[in-house]
Amino acid sequence: MTSRLHERRRWLGLAGTGCLLLLAGCKGDSPPSARVLPETPQDDPPIHVTGCENTSIDPGRVTLHRLNRAEYDATVRDLLGDTTHPARAFPVDDHGYGFDNNADVLSLSPLLMEKYASAAEALIESAWTRGTLSTCALDAARPEPCARDILSRFARRAWRRPVTPEEVDRLLRPLALAKQHGDPPEVGVKLALRSVLVSPHFLFRVETDPEPGSKTPHKVSAFELASRLSYFLWSSMPDEALLQAAEQNKLRTPKELEAQVRRMLADPKAQALVSNFAGQWLFTRALDSAEPDPTLYGAFNDTLRRAMRQETELVFQEFLTSDHKLKDLVDAPFTFVNDALAAHYGLPLPGSTTPQRVDLSEHPERRGIFGHGSLLTVTSNSDRTSPVQRGVWVLEQLLCSAPPPPPPNVEGLPPPVNPSMTMKERMALHRSLPQCQGCHRMMDPLGLALENYDPIGRWRLKEVSGAPVDATGDLPDGNVLNGGADMRRFVKADPKLPECMTEHLLTYALGRGTSEADECAVRLIAATAEARGGRLSDYILAIVLSDHFTSRRGDTEAQSP
Amino acid sequence: MSRKPSLSRRTVLRGAGALLALPWLEQMLPGAARAAAPSLSPKRLAVFYVPNGIHMPKWTPTGTGPAWELTPTLQPLASVKSDVLVISGLANDAGRPDGDGHHAAGTAALLSCTKAFKTEGTDLRAGISMDQVIANHLARQKATRFASLELGIDAGRGIGNCDSGYACPYANNIAWAGPHTPMAKEVVPQAVFDRLFGGTHAGETQAQAARRRAYGMSIIDSVREDATVLQRRLGTTDQRKLDEYFTSVRDLEKQVDAMGTPTSACGTPTAPGGDEDPRAKTKAMMDLIVLAFQCDLTRVVTFMLANARSNKVYGFLGLSGGHHAYSHHQHVSSNFDALARIDRWEVEQYAYLVRRLKEVKDAQGVPLLDNALVYFTSEIEDGNGHIHKNLPVLLAGKGGGAIATDRHLRAPGIPIANLYISLMRAMGVPNVNTFGADGTQELAGLGG
């Protein structure tokens, strides 16, 4: 499946002894609920992770990171005040390890360079016209001092670091060229401004190593760290406060870093974490291309599509702003619905076309992400539910224990040969194949426990065939998950949940895939975050304060052929 | 040297299809290369990729050689049957993955015949694709403004894994500039249109063009210097990323350098609409391919009807399931029927492209199709078993005489890389004797 931690964390382990342990935890009477936790303890106790005591943690390295489309748009918004989303015309970014900010797969093709060049021209022309770039009046006879001022200020922000005098000298060259062609100095300045936006220092997040061939870790520079922070939390460039903190070398202490993180999370720009991180982690982005069969599921329309997407985004947003325990995503006792979605779910109508926060204490079936129409829809086929896809989603996105892919020839569910067969019977049938059984014993029960949700997330008691829904999933150890409530408890109690959430968040934060070498770091970050209170902000802080985030090293890879 | 084109206004308008309501310019000025070789109609290659294989029993003609009949799936080609060559039996062994991941591995190897390195991101490695070998050759001759176009209609879902441990670039790109660099494709007709027709500066004087070129070059010089200084401070992996930057800047430089050369005077046609319907999008892309050829803006185009392993729902064909799900047909006849419907629709889109290329004539008055090679294929044969042999292959157009059409050629077990050697040679690339993992010679029998 993947070369990351999954490989090592044999999912079979989960199917074995781990389950017994977990199920013991599932039998408690009081259902867990989301709540705001007390303040973080003043002195964080040192965290120990078994098996990692004597491991020196290698922070790894992030490949030269091209801005993806979301980052480009957010950056020119903050740099130039441009809200035209020029990157929409760029080719789609590929994604790796589940995220489209993965530096390794963000290539730069000639087509994209062409787009960058024309975007730069349009962006500068429009910003110049709006007057956002000129800090002084360009004197036609002696334009250099003002040009120098404009260009050094702009390049500092665009390149997210101080510029050297030599760099400014180079930027000034087009001034002479414009004069040579009889054009006013502003033509030369605009050319220089355009080149700033096509420069590798703008298009890439540049991080350098003092010794590119050495594997000894070192702290990234203050400016590199400022960019790491701002692209992690905002998908955008550092703001003035962050740049100044870097200039004053203030980003060194955990205290200052924490203060910056809290400030940044409170900024509306942190919405980027919702659309770019959560949108991919929780699969919300796939809603745009979901196509439930209109003859069977004609109730699904673009109004619902939008409401479902907003629901998941707003819930995640609330986790960001109101500091719920991240684990409570699994069973949060509140959600956001408008009238259309409430009716779809069978909830009381909030009396609004815009989503309203509603309490779910009377509707446990809608608790947490598993009650969200978005997730339930994108993990279904167009014409039927897919317990396998739902199960794989849980294992991969929440427990990082996805099974290997099916062998050739057996992928996919057999067609409904016998329409009267229930989903459970069909799953049992395909589990009867010896080559399938091993993996499906773990995937299927998790998905089957969600069978009360139809392919567009409606609650149902009967399958399409008319047979009553059987939402029981038999775990490999003989225990049974009876419906969504059991399933939520099972997932929430799994000790792999914090580490898995860390793994996805860290992958996104760094823009690189994690591997076995990162295992101890992941475990340590997860343990730290949980010890701090387990809120989303605790996870973010634990990542930001980790060596993985603040350090890097060179690589000793042999020159590629 | 300008020359009146032999295109009639009506032909041009038809060529533009529903896409364009033109103020079409009278002159169809040929490109710079045309001036160098005025007597030759240029050759052109279009690659049309479909995902998930083809249900072969309804595709493969029974007869061989000229004694062939259109099968149910190939029926949409009726009006251009005489221009089509069906080739059965070709294999792409390099498309076989390590473990699972047949769609991504097969697609990465589709035009490169090079086994893709299994990775989710780090150490991406495939091979240069044959279309890019041709594009590089034509770029050296400065034949057209764009060395190649990479098109598709599928942006992808942007979530999760792509295919069993193979990174998404393998599944989403068939054109590769080199082992590490997929050629990103455009999926928005409007964006393609803007790129092809937006940057023209009609009525510009030579002096104005020269100034624009000088200004463009100043930007390129500046950023290249930035990159050169930066390169010295980077490790090997980062240098490889920066190499992509240098390559792209070189490409941009060629375009800036060509400013002021009247490469294309195709006027300013009206842009396509923002329709998301796959039928409208596909047709718009086909029309853009024809226009790009017609205006000699490029001679190499690749097109992906969807990304590898696409599970698109073809509701407009009356189907409720996803394409990929159907392709795992489990030998059930209702799935075969669904696949045949999708396959036939795919062939219809290809047939439309072929028909348009036959109708539209180039500046010499020759149908574009006569000198074109229009290639249809998929990454696998059958979706159920993920077979990398007996791939579905169609070639339309005579490639300037290289291809004898209206036949069914059987080439069981022959590496598809051999076909590519033939195509590259037909497109004028000199000295191609081997290609990819197993291409050793031209495919025998193509010329009849």
Side-chain angles (χ1 to χ4, degrees):
Chain A
M1 166 117 300
T2 75
S3 57
R4 47 182 153 165
L5 291 177
H6 300 177
E7 288 282 80
R8 201 204 49 77
R9 293 185 198 161
R10 287 280 160 213
W11 70 278
L12 281 166
L14 182 132
T17 52
C19 292
L20 288 168
L21 197 77
L22 297 174
L23 278 181
C26 295
K27 295 196 173 129
D29 291 322
S30 58
S33 60
R35 60 191 172 275
V36 177
L37 287 192
E39 283 301 297
T40 312
Q42 288 302 306
D43 295 308
D44 293 336
I47 305 293
H48 294 290
V49 174
T50 315
C52 295
E53 292 86 355
N54 299 318
T55 318
S56 66
I57 289 183
D58 173 3
R61 61 189 315 286
V62 184
T63 305
L64 191 63
H65 189 136
R66 170 171 76 68
L67 301 186
N68 69 13
R69 297 203 303 174
E71 290 165 342
Y72 187 97
D73 276 346
T75 302
V76 300
R77 177 199 64 204
D78 296 342
L79 181 65
L80 297 160
D82 192 292
T83 52
T84 59
H85 300 281
R88 278 186 191 156
F90 298 174
V92 180
D93 298 308
D94 277 314
H95 67 283
Y97 296 89
F99 295 102
D100 66 356
N101 70 345
N102 184 281
D104 282 310
V105 300
L106 285 169
S107 303
L108 207 172
S109 62
L111 166 63
L112 187 55
M113 180 58 80
E114 209 181 301
K115 302 276 185 190
Y116 283 146
S118 52
E121 181 170 9
L123 283 166
I124 294 301
E125 278 304 328
S126 135
W128 190 268
T129 308
R130 292 196 310 273
T132 52
L133 292 170
S134 39
T135 53
C136 47
L138 277 169
D139 178 43
R142 205 174 146 270
E144 202 184 297
C146 175
R148 186 175 286 277
D149 189 66
I150 294 174
L151 290 171
S152 51
R153 282 172 196 262
F154 182 70
R156 167 183 171 274
R157 295 178 63 228
W159 295 351
R160 309 146 206 136
R161 60 167 173 80
V163 280
T164 64
E166 295 77 35
E167 283 171 331
V168 182
D169 287 345
R170 190 155 75 233
L171 286 172
L172 282 168
R173 279 187 217 155
L175 241 62
L177 185 69
K179 192 174 180 183
Q180 201 184 312
H181 282 89
D183 276 328
E186 68 169 59
V187 170
V189 174
K190 284 193 282 185
L191 277 176
L193 291 167
R194 277 162 63 184
S195 74
V196 169
L197 293 188
V198 188
S199 166
H201 296 295
F202 175 75
L203 299 174
F204 292 98
R205 288 157 56 188
V206 175
E207 293 179 354
T208 56
D209 303 303
E211 291 173 76
S214 161
K215 279 188 149 179
T216 308
H218 64 91
K219 292 281 175 195
V220 298
S221 81
F223 292 97
E224 290 164 359
L225 187 57
S227 274
R228 281 193 175 201
L229 266 178
S230 67
Y231 282 96
F232 174 25
L233 303 181
W234 289 344
S235 300
S236 186
M237 58 181 277
D239 65 355
E240 195 52 39
L242 205 49
L243 274 182
Q244 282 186 17
E247 259 155 6
Q248 293 156 11
N249 211 15
K250 275 190 185 161
L251 291 179
R252 286 291 163 219
T253 64
K255 199 177 157 207
E256 175 65 20
L257 273 176
E258 176 163 350
Q260 288 287 353
V261 167
R262 296 211 180 276
R263 177 183 75 85
M264 294 173 74
L265 287 179
D267 190 294
K269 285 191 276 188
Q271 174 71 24
L273 273 173
V274 180
S275 42
N276 298 329
F277 170 68
Q280 295 179 86
W281 176 43
L282 303 177
F283 281 22
T284 330
R285 278 196 187 175
L287 255 187
D288 288 345
S289 55
E291 300 174 271
D293 175 28
T295 58
L296 289 170
Y297 303 102
F300 188 83
N301 56 33
D302 284 342
T303 307
L304 273 183
R305 193 194 300 270
R306 195 162 44 248
M308 286 177 177
R309 186 177 178 141
Q310 285 175 327
E311 176 189 22
T312 304
E313 289 180 349
L314 287 167
V315 167
F316 190 83
Q317 172 93 31
E318 167 129 355
F319 271 71
L320 206 55
T321 52
S322 298
D323 259 358
H324 299 286
K325 274 178 78 71
L326 187 51
K327 276 190 205 173
D328 292 349
L329 264 180
V330 171
D331 62 356
F334 64 89
T335 195
F336 292 82
V337 289
N338 62 7
D339 285 348
L341 191 56
H344 186 70
Y345 286 167
L347 295 176
L349 307 192
S352 172
T353 53
T354 54
Q356 304 295 312
R357 191 184 196 281
V358 294
D359 179 82
L360 294 174
S361 40
E362 302 295 314
H363 292 275
E365 79 280 5
R366 287 294 159 193
R367 285 181 162 210
I369 182 78
F370 299 128
H372 287 203
S374 60
L375 179 65
L376 293 161
T377 301
V378 302
T379 53
S380 294
N381 287 337
S382 58
D383 52 356
R384 56 171 168 78
T385 58
S386 169
V388 175
Q389 284 188 59
R390 288 177 177 177
V392 168
W393 187 89
V394 176
L395 291 175
E396 189 148 295
Q397 302 305 107
L398 294 185
L399 303 180
C400 292
S401 308
N409 256 321
V410 296
E411 198 173 346
L413 186 62
V417 189
N418 176 359
S420 66
M421 208 182 246
T422 67
M423 183 57 83
K424 183 140 191 210
E425 287 164 346
R426 286 158 68 182
M427 300 308 289
L429 183 72
H430 92 271
R431 271 206 306 280
S432 66
L433 299 171
Q435 68 268 39
C436 303
Q437 195 193 31
C439 301
H440 281 277
R441 285 199 318 161
M442 196 58 221
M443 296 187 281
D444 299 359
L446 292 167
L448 280 168
L450 297 173
E451 268 297 285
N452 278 124
Y453 304 97
D454 81 357
I456 55 174
R458 283 179 304 202
W459 184 258
R460 63 176 183 181
L461 298 173
K462 284 183 176 167
E463 296 190 358
V464 175
S465 65
V469 165
D470 180 351
T472 56
D474 306 273
L475 288 166
D477 63 0
N479 279 291
V480 178
L481 297 178
N482 190 357
D486 266 5
M487 193 270 203
R488 288 173 172 88
R489 279 195 289 274
F490 175 79
V491 172
K492 194 164 179 179
D494 194 311
K496 280 190 290 304
L497 180 60
E499 288 173 19
C500 186
M501 294 189 298
T502 300
E503 191 181 322
H504 286 290
L505 201 50
L506 184 67
T507 299
Y508 175 81
L510 297 174
R512 72 165 171 89
T514 51
S515 70
E516 208 174 309
D518 302 305
E519 190 195 340
C520 279
V522 167
R523 295 177 62 194
L524 192 62
I525 291 168
T528 307
E530 284 296 307
R532 292 181 67 114
R535 295 160 291 204
L536 177 52
S537 59
D538 294 317
Y539 277 83
I540 288 170
L541 272 168
I543 283 175
V544 167
L545 296 173
S546 73
D547 285 340
H548 266 50
F549 197 79
T550 55
S551 305
R552 60 176 272 134
R553 60 166 170 80
D555 66 316
T556 51
E557 184 204 82
Q559 189 70 47
S560 61
Chain B
M1 49 162 276
S2 79
R3 180 201 300 233
K4 278 272 179 193
S6 41
L7 288 169
S8 74
R9 187 176 170 83
R10 178 172 309 173
T11 307
V12 170
L13 280 166
R14 289 223 319 267
L19 186 64
L20 310 162
L22 301 174
W24 192 268
L25 291 191
E26 278 306 310
Q27 82 273 33
M28 292 282 298
L29 285 181
R34 182 86 38 78
S39 62
L40 279 179
S41 290
K43 293 181 184 179
R44 292 158 174 133
L45 171 75
V47 178
F48 189 108
Y49 160 86
V50 300
N52 298 326
I54 291 280
H55 180 53
M56 297 304 275
K58 289 184 176 165
W59 161 283
T60 313
T62 45
T64 305
W68 75 293
E69 297 298 329
L70 292 169
T71 53
T73 299
L74 297 179
Q75 205 59 47
L77 290 163
S79 68
V80 286
K81 177 173 180 281
S82 61
D83 297 290
V84 175
L85 168 67
V86 185
I87 309 178
S88 298
L90 293 175
N92 196 1
D93 203 43
R96 287 191 299 135
D98 291 324
D100 215 310
H102 289 268
H103 296 287
T107 303
L110 186 89
L111 301 181
S112 68
C113 302
T114 304
K115 199 175 170 82
F117 177 68
K118 191 167 196 172
T119 172
E120 260 202 75
T122 333
D123 306 327
L124 209 62
R125 195 170 68 245
I128 187 168
S129 54
M130 62 95 168
D131 57 298
Q132 290 303 301
V133 175
I134 297 166
N136 289 343
H137 168 69
L138 293 172
R140 278 192 291 276
Q141 303 182 339
K142 300 190 177 182
T144 52
R145 193 166 124 218
F146 301 98
S148 63
L149 292 182
E150 289 71 39
L151 308 175
I153 64 166
D154 204 349
R157 305 206 305 165
I159 46 126
N161 292 315
C162 267
D163 194 3
S164 307
Y166 281 89
C168 301
Y170 293 138
N172 298 350
N173 299 281
I174 53 176
W176 287 73
H180 312 294
T181 311
M183 297 286 287
K185 63 185 186 295
E186 287 193 285
V187 297
V188 182
Q190 173 73 54
V192 180
F193 178 86
D194 290 346
R195 184 166 178 242
L196 292 178
F197 301 104
T200 50
H201 295 256
E204 191 175 48
T205 66
Q206 241 179 348
Q208 285 166 331
R211 178 168 56 184
R212 211 156 47 78
R213 186 164 53 233
Y215 287 169
M217 283 299 175
S218 83
I219 293 176
I220 286 169
D221 289 344
S222 166
V223 301
R224 183 177 277 146
E225 207 167 323
D226 287 346
T228 307
V229 173
L230 177 60
Q231 191 183 30
R232 291 195 281 269
R233 299 164 58 207
L234 298 177
T236 44
T237 317
D238 289 346
Q239 287 195 10
R240 201 157 71 206
K241 274 286 169 208
L242 206 59
D243 280 347
E244 291 174 3
Y245 182 89
F246 280 112
T247 305
S248 304
V249 166
R250 263 197 302 282
D251 219 69
L252 189 64
E253 185 176 28
K254 280 182 206 153
Q255 289 190 32
V256 172
D257 194 34
M259 275 179 189
T261 318
T263 49
S264 164
C266 278
T268 46
T270 309
D275 199 335
E276 275 302 308
D277 186 310
R279 288 169 292 187
K281 268 184 106 173
T282 305
K283 181 171 181 301
M285 289 297 191
M286 297 300 105
D287 287 334
L288 285 164
I289 293 173
V290 176
L291 268 174
F293 282 169
Q294 188 180 9
C295 301
D296 209 19
L297 291 166
T298 191
R299 294 178 190 167
V300 178
V301 180
T302 54
F303 172 76
M304 297 181 78
L305 188 60
N307 291 334
R309 207 174 183 274
S310 162
N311 206 26
K312 193 176 289 185
V313 178
Y314 287 92
F316 59 83
L317 297 177
L319 300 173
S320 60
H323 189 184
H324 180 246
Y326 283 130
S327 77
H328 287 275
H329 51 68
Q330 319 251 337
H331 305 283
V332 172
S333 67
S334 63
N335 286 342
F336 288 152
D337 294 344
L339 286 173
R341 252 192 262 183
I342 295 171
D343 296 346
R344 190 181 156 112
W345 182 78
E346 292 169 341
V347 173
E348 269 171 32
Q349 310 316 302
Y350 170 77
Y352 173 75
L353 174 64
V354 175
R355 226 167 36 239
R356 296 293 310 127
L357 290 170
K358 187 171 181 169
E359 285 164 5
V360 175
K361 294 184 171 61
D362 71 9
Q364 275 69 36
V366 180
L368 292 173
L369 187 61
D370 284 6
N371 291 298
L373 297 158
V374 193
Y375 170 48
F376 177 108
T377 194
S378 186
E379 80 276 19
I380 45 173
E381 178 213 21
D382 173 278
N384 205 44
H386 292 139
I387 310 295
H388 298 270
K389 298 182 195 309
N390 190 33
L391 298 168
V393 171
L394 299 175
L395 265 182
K398 297 182 174 57
I403 311 293
T405 53
D406 203 2
R407 293 184 303 138
H408 174 210
L409 175 64
R410 288 190 192 271
I414 304 291
I416 205 161
N418 286 359
L419 169 66
Y420 298 165
I421 292 175
S422 298
L423 296 182
M424 287 185 278
R425 287 193 185 172
M427 288 294 294
V429 184
N431 308 320
V432 193
N433 301 309
T434 60
F435 184 69
D438 53 3
T440 52
Q441 58 188 320
E442 286 205 62
L443 179 63
L446 270 185

